[in-house]
Amino acid sequence: MTSQNINHMADGQFSLRVARIDEIPAASRFHRWSILRFKGEPVGVTISTDFRLDPDRPDILRLRLTAHYHTVRSQIIRPLLDYGIEVVFEVGDLDKMVSEGNHELLLPTGLASLTLSLGIGAMRGMIALGVRNTFLSHYPLPVFRISDIVNSIADPDGDTAGTGRLATIRLSDI
């Protein structure tokens, strides 16, 4: 979808290029029954992430982001929309910056911050296009403080550390 080069000097030196941004159809779904029954209850969104290395190409970092829109009706969380994207980054000297083992991928903070910022920004626009003719257009994906998200991932004592779940936010109607 897009290609952009970024040079970054924090946490050491690395070059970053957005090679591709794709919607993941298998992870994207309108929950029509919940949408039909929606009566103006509060809407929330949970963002999940998954970083992966490409086993065939040592310079490729894949970021999968999923936004789960939901509401609570009759004390039960009802899904409204799941929307997933994958952002493929080409990172210079990636194999020297990351560490993988025990089902964990350790990234430099600067690389994690930059890739999350680009990925969430792209997903915000893609969701806006996808929901433009629905009531969910009144609930855009919010702007996140990426440093807080990275700190919550890096904090081993935090509730969300290691889960891949970044944040759950209650959205307000515009």
Side-chain angles (χ1 to χ4, degrees):
M1 181 176 195
T2 185
S3 177
Q4 183 176 1
N5 293 321
I6 296 173
N7 291 316
H8 190 67
M9 299 299 223
D11 294 342
Q13 184 174 348
F14 61 87
S15 64
L16 178 72
R17 185 175 87 82
V18 178
R20 200 175 72 240
I21 302 173
D22 296 311
E23 178 183 351
I24 304 171
S28 301
R29 178 177 175 217
F30 280 97
H31 296 272
R32 300 198 191 293
W33 184 247
S34 294
I35 288 172
L36 287 171
R37 299 191 67 198
F38 181 76
K39 302 247 189 295
E41 301 90 353
V43 174
V45 64
T46 300
I47 304 291
S48 299
T49 184
D50 182 25
F51 283 98
R52 293 184 185 186
L53 297 176
D54 190 317
D56 298 326
R57 295 199 41 208
D59 64 331
I60 296 293
L61 178 65
R62 295 177 182 277
L63 169 60
R64 286 188 174 208
L65 289 166
T66 308
H68 307 278
Y69 280 76
H70 55 272
T71 191
V72 176
R73 190 178 61 253
S74 301
Q75 299 182 352
I76 298 174
I77 296 175
R78 310 290 179 160
L80 297 169
L81 169 71
D82 296 320
Y83 193 84
I85 68 167
E86 181 178 68
V87 186
V88 178
F89 297 97
E90 290 179 4
V91 184
D93 295 326
L94 180 63
D95 55 339
K96 295 176 183 154
M97 289 189 285
V98 300
S99 175
E100 188 176 27
N102 293 335
H103 305 291
E104 288 186 328
L105 179 62
L106 301 175
L107 299 172
T109 304
L111 180 60
S113 297
L114 192 54
T115 55
L116 282 171
S117 179
L118 291 167
I120 290 172
M123 186 167 61
R124 183 178 298 112
M126 293 170 77
I127 288 173
L129 284 174
V131 302
R132 68 183 172 269
N133 295 323
T134 72
F135 78 91
L136 287 173
S137 66
H138 300 289
Y139 300 95
L141 192 62
V143 175
F144 295 95
R145 182 175 292 155
I146 300 299
S147 61
D148 290 346
I149 292 172
V150 170
N151 289 338
S152 74
I153 293 170
D155 179 14
D157 298 311
D159 294 336
T160 61
T163 64
R165 179 166 290 152
L166 297 180
T168 299
I169 296 172
R170 183 176 171 181
L171 303 177
S172 59
D173 192 354
I174 292 181

